[in-house]
Amino acid sequence: MYAQSLSTWLDRRGIHFSWVIVAITFLTMLTSSAALGLPGVLLQPLSKEFGWSNDQISSAVAVRYVLFGFIGPFAAIFMERFGLRKVITIALVLVAACLALSTMMTELWQMFLLWGLLLGTGTGLTALVLGAVVANRWFEKRRGLVLGLLTASSATGQLIFLPFGAWLIQNYGWRMSVIPVFLCCALVAVLAFLLVRDRPHDVGTVAYGAAPDSVPPPPPATAQMTMMEPFRVLLGASRNRTFWVLAGTFFICGLSTSGLIQTHFVSLCGDYGMAAIPAASVLAMMGAFDFVGTILSGWLSDRYDNRKLLFWYYGLRGLSLIWLPHSEFTLYGLSLFAMFYGLDWFATVPVTVKLAGAEFGKERAGMVFGWIFTAHQIGGAVAAYGAGLSRTILMAYTPALYAAGIACLFAAVIVFMIKKPVKATA
């Protein structure tokens, strides 16, 4: 009722209801990314209060990354079976409950349950697949722009919540830092329940840019798929060299971003005498550059060889990670790192999606990318635990930074094992 009334009201003013769906999806992915990034500023406070080692806390974060990745290939099926509104609402309620309960945890197994199992499941349902589904269902035109904006929402979540979370930790304790994210999850869940609908014809309209008299498309093949379908797609894709190159480079992408920097950067800065608030502010600066870089990457991917773009993205990221331990963690040094690293944090996503689509076709590209994204999250899990182990045993993050930087340089080279996509003729 609310969605139909709002759609009619907006239509009279020349505004398409699809932008409401984009706004709620943006907020959903933003709050999910904030929940994912929050443990990065909680490593040291939790270690001080409970005596847990860095690798113990990191292992719970690693479980979260693995679940976050493995749910991706199945998320599209859930959205077809149960609808966008139910999936978004349930996911946000799950994340909110996880955050609220985490303020009462006292044992390490509780952290594994809450931040590993529940948070991994909730955020996995609202990962990049959600953005792709919304862009394809609600937009006939400007899909690339919409997908770029929704992908960049993760950077926005980091930009808004992490510095504020660090300030709350410093002044009121770590438990207070989860309250803003919890409240946002609850608010967006209510908005999703009231306003989100599955397809344009549910509110009596057509996709943005479609002809007014266009016939609603038939239910996609995903609606009839069983839960075994992602495994069949994986079996078929595994016979293709391009799949392994994309999965391998995306594994390195996760190894060098979310698992390493997003999880351990604040703790790394603390080792060099930097307080949590300025360290989180540098992360926010990366998020600002990433917001620009991701949207720019989507624009570039339509105009240049995507393999060459990946070469530059991974190459610059690798060099920046190798240089980071030598930056002396000054304002100038960290600002330089934030710029080079931030510009290509999520810039690899639009390019990788396009290469997957060119190789596997539109029908299978989404599910194939779901498995490629799984490789990304496995890489994130390896880095989250490995960097924490390095900090515990060697008392330094430097070996993990060097390893990730060298891996990025390797990824920059192997992208040319992908054959150049053939341009469609008129």
Side-chain angles (χ1 to χ4, degrees):
M1 179 178 67
Y2 296 103
Q4 181 64 65
S5 301
L6 181 60
S7 177
T8 304
W9 185 84
L10 291 174
D11 188 58
R12 292 172 184 161
R13 289 155 178 79
I15 302 173
H16 200 279
F17 188 74
S18 58
W19 295 111
V20 175
I21 303 297
V22 168
I24 295 175
T25 305
F26 184 93
L27 292 173
T28 299
M29 298 175 71
L30 181 149
T31 52
S32 295
S33 69
L36 280 172
L38 192 60
V41 296
L42 295 176
L43 286 178
Q44 292 184 345
L46 290 175
S47 181
K48 290 178 181 178
E49 179 167 338
F50 299 111
W52 300 334
S53 65
N54 209 299
D55 61 308
Q56 287 177 317
I57 300 173
S58 299
S59 59
V61 176
V63 171
R64 179 198 67 190
Y65 280 123
V66 171
L67 276 174
F68 183 72
F70 273 103
I71 290 175
F74 302 92
I77 295 179
F78 293 147
M79 291 172 197
E80 288 294 343
R81 290 280 184 87
F82 306 110
L84 283 175
R85 181 175 65 167
K86 289 182 180 178
V87 170
I88 292 174
T89 304
I90 291 173
L92 289 172
V93 169
L94 195 60
V95 172
C98 165
L99 293 173
L101 291 172
S102 68
T103 61
M104 297 181 283
M105 66 183 180
T106 56
E107 301 290 339
L108 188 60
W109 69 265
Q110 295 169 346
M111 184 178 181
F112 272 90
L113 175 64
L114 296 172
W115 284 6
L117 181 61
L118 296 183
L119 187 58
T121 301
T123 54
L125 291 171
T126 57
L128 294 175
V129 175
L130 173 61
V133 169
V134 168
N136 283 313
R137 286 187 185 181
W138 285 86
F139 287 83
E140 195 66 33
K141 296 179 180 179
R142 299 190 181 179
R143 285 179 181 170
L145 173 64
V146 169
L147 189 56
L149 287 171
L150 294 178
T151 302
S153 63
S154 58
T156 309
Q158 182 171 286
L159 178 67
I160 294 173
F161 286 99
L162 291 191
F164 184 48
W167 180 82
L168 287 173
I169 291 171
Q170 179 174 303
N171 291 280
Y172 300 102
W174 69 267
R175 288 174 178 83
M176 286 298 297
S177 67
V178 307
I179 301 302
V181 185
F182 164 79
L183 293 175
C184 286
C185 284
L187 175 61
V188 179
V190 172
L191 290 175
F193 182 78
L194 294 177
L195 298 176
V196 169
R197 294 296 179 268
D198 287 340
R199 289 179 172 83
H201 64 262
D202 292 338
V203 289
T205 186
V206 295
Y208 181 89
D213 57 348
S214 60
V215 179
T222 316
Q224 288 79 40
M225 288 179 182
T226 67
M227 298 305 292
M228 292 302 296
E229 185 62 25
F231 295 106
R232 286 192 282 269
V233 171
L234 175 62
L235 182 62
S238 65
R239 302 187 182 102
N240 188 304
R241 182 180 68 183
T242 297
F243 171 79
W244 290 109
V245 175
L246 290 176
T249 53
F250 231 41
F251 173 90
I252 294 171
C253 183
L255 185 82
S256 56
T257 54
S258 54
L260 179 60
I261 296 299
Q262 188 176 43
T263 304
H264 293 284
F265 185 77
V266 174
S267 180
L268 166 68
C269 291
D271 289 347
Y272 287 85
M274 179 176 285
I277 294 177
S281 299
V282 175
L283 270 177
M285 189 189 305
M286 293 182 207
F289 280 111
D290 177 54
F291 187 85
V292 175
T294 302
I295 297 175
L296 180 62
S297 177
W299 183 83
L300 291 172
S301 68
D302 290 327
R303 292 161 174 79
Y304 298 99
D305 186 341
N306 286 266
R307 302 170 308 158
K308 294 179 180 178
L309 293 176
L310 283 182
F311 170 81
W312 284 107
Y313 296 160
Y314 284 118
L316 290 174
R317 184 188 299 172
L319 293 175
S320 65
L321 286 170
I322 293 172
W323 177 79
L324 179 58
H326 308 282
S327 67
E328 298 181 354
F329 288 78
T330 61
L331 177 62
Y332 172 78
L334 288 179
S335 298
L336 194 63
F337 170 77
M339 180 179 68
F340 278 99
Y341 184 88
L343 281 172
D344 66 12
W345 187 322
F346 274 85
T348 55
V349 174
V351 179
T352 302
V353 170
K354 289 209 68 173
L355 287 171
E359 182 66 29
F360 298 102
K362 183 179 179 180
E363 292 299 322
R364 290 200 304 159
M367 205 168 290
V368 171
F369 178 72
W371 285 113
I372 294 171
F373 182 69
T374 300
H376 181 283
Q377 296 307 108
I378 294 174
V382 170
Y385 178 73
L389 190 64
S390 172
R391 176 64 179 79
T392 300
I393 296 176
L394 303 176
M395 301 302 294
Y397 285 110
T398 302
L401 294 171
Y402 283 162
I406 293 170
C408 285
L409 297 179
F410 175 72
V413 174
I414 66 172
V415 293
F416 290 106
M417 293 177 63
I418 303 171
K419 61 183 179 182
K420 186 175 181 179
V422 179
K423 293 184 178 180
T425 56

